[in-house]
Amino acid sequence: MASAAAAGAAAGAVAARATASMAAAAAAGSIRGVVFDMDGTLTVPYMDFLEMKRRLRFQPTDDIVAKLNTLSGPERTDADRIIREMEDEALANTKLQPGLHELMAFLETRSVPKAILTRNALPSVDHVLQNHLSYVFHPIVTRSFIPAKPHPDPLLHIASQWGLPASQLIMVGDGWDDMQCGRSAGSLTALLLNPANRKHASHADFVVNQLDELIPIFRNLLAVEASL
């Protein structure tokens, strides 16, 4: 009984945040572009980041990209090799998220700009786009952009590329770094839930279980009828 009550309260809190966010977006002139994380958002999560940290000899609390950018010489070369090996293994097991095609069709019929903001490397993104996704994303911002998520700069860069204020973008992702990046940039955020990220729900404006659940939310928020 207590568990059911807690779940109800959590659902109510999410609904309240969504209602408030929709009102805020409407007052601000609505949303005109959508930015997606890749691994765990467009694709089903496969990467084991704790194992990656173990292989890299990083601490469990280290931010992988931030720590990576402190390395140089042979140490950096070796770390890049380990990460790429694990990314290649993940790519071999790529599966798209449920509801992705429905959401992409909705956005494309409305000519809504779509971008990718990921902490993956560009070859990984290219592999997914060439082999699994036949949709246009531009720009594509990877971990080579410094500073990386959760810093707001990469999202602000996308807003600048589109000629839009960040307040007219929504960041869709599955991690705390996605939510923090969006909030710090002044954008709306949507968290795609999985068993490991429910603790981050309070950081998101919207929380969904699969991507096509964003369609009714976007229907209320989107103001774009022509591509930028």
Side-chain angles (χ1 to χ4, degrees):
M1 185 72 70
S3 175
V14 169
R17 285 199 308 277
T19 301
S21 297
M22 285 184 180
S30 206
I31 296 303
R32 300 186 62 207
V34 184
V35 181
F36 293 93
D37 172 50
M38 190 181 78
D39 182 48
T41 301
L42 296 175
T43 62
V44 175
Y46 181 84
M47 196 80 71
D48 185 339
F49 292 106
L50 285 177
E51 173 61 15
M52 180 180 287
K53 291 177 184 181
R54 186 192 68 78
R55 294 190 195 181
L56 291 167
R57 298 186 178 88
F58 290 177
Q59 295 299 312
T61 55
D62 283 340
D63 179 290
I64 292 173
V65 176
K67 180 73 172 179
L68 185 68
N69 288 332
T70 68
L71 305 179
S72 60
E75 193 175 22
R76 175 60 187 260
T77 300
D78 192 48
D80 284 333
R81 177 188 58 77
I82 291 169
I83 292 173
R84 185 55 198 269
E85 286 174 355
M86 293 193 68
E87 288 181 339
D88 286 347
E89 181 181 350
L91 291 174
N93 292 276
T94 296
K95 294 180 181 179
L96 299 180
Q97 285 281 4
L100 181 143
H101 294 301
E102 292 83 353
L103 177 59
M104 293 298 118
F106 172 83
L107 294 175
E108 295 206 337
T109 58
R110 288 157 178 78
S111 299
V112 177
K114 305 179 299 299
I116 290 176
L117 173 50
T118 177
R119 287 156 62 100
N120 286 80
L122 185 58
S124 296
V125 180
D126 285 342
H127 175 91
V128 171
L129 292 178
Q130 292 169 12
N131 294 280
H132 301 281
L133 287 172
S134 58
Y135 307 105
V136 175
F137 296 88
H138 179 79
I140 295 169
V141 179
T142 68
R143 65 167 173 259
S144 64
F145 188 102
I146 299 173
K149 296 183 295 185
H151 199 281
D153 277 8
L155 187 54
L156 294 173
H157 169 74
I158 293 172
S160 176
Q161 290 285 298
W162 284 345
L164 295 173
S167 60
Q168 292 186 348
L169 274 56
I170 184 164
M171 178 74 216
V172 181
D174 70 315
W176 173 85
D177 59 315
D178 301 307
M179 302 304 101
Q180 182 62 29
C181 176
R183 290 167 73 92
S184 296
S187 304
L188 288 175
T189 57
L191 180 71
L192 179 62
L193 285 177
N194 62 50
N197 71 3
R198 295 181 183 276
K199 61 186 176 183
H200 303 313
S202 62
H203 297 282
D205 295 299
F206 305 99
V207 179
V208 295
N209 290 294
Q210 64 179 48
L211 287 175
D212 56 351
E213 293 178 10
L214 288 168
I215 292 174
I217 295 172
F218 286 175
R219 187 173 284 118
N220 286 329
L221 296 177
L222 288 168
V224 173
E225 296 299 336
S227 60
L228 296 173

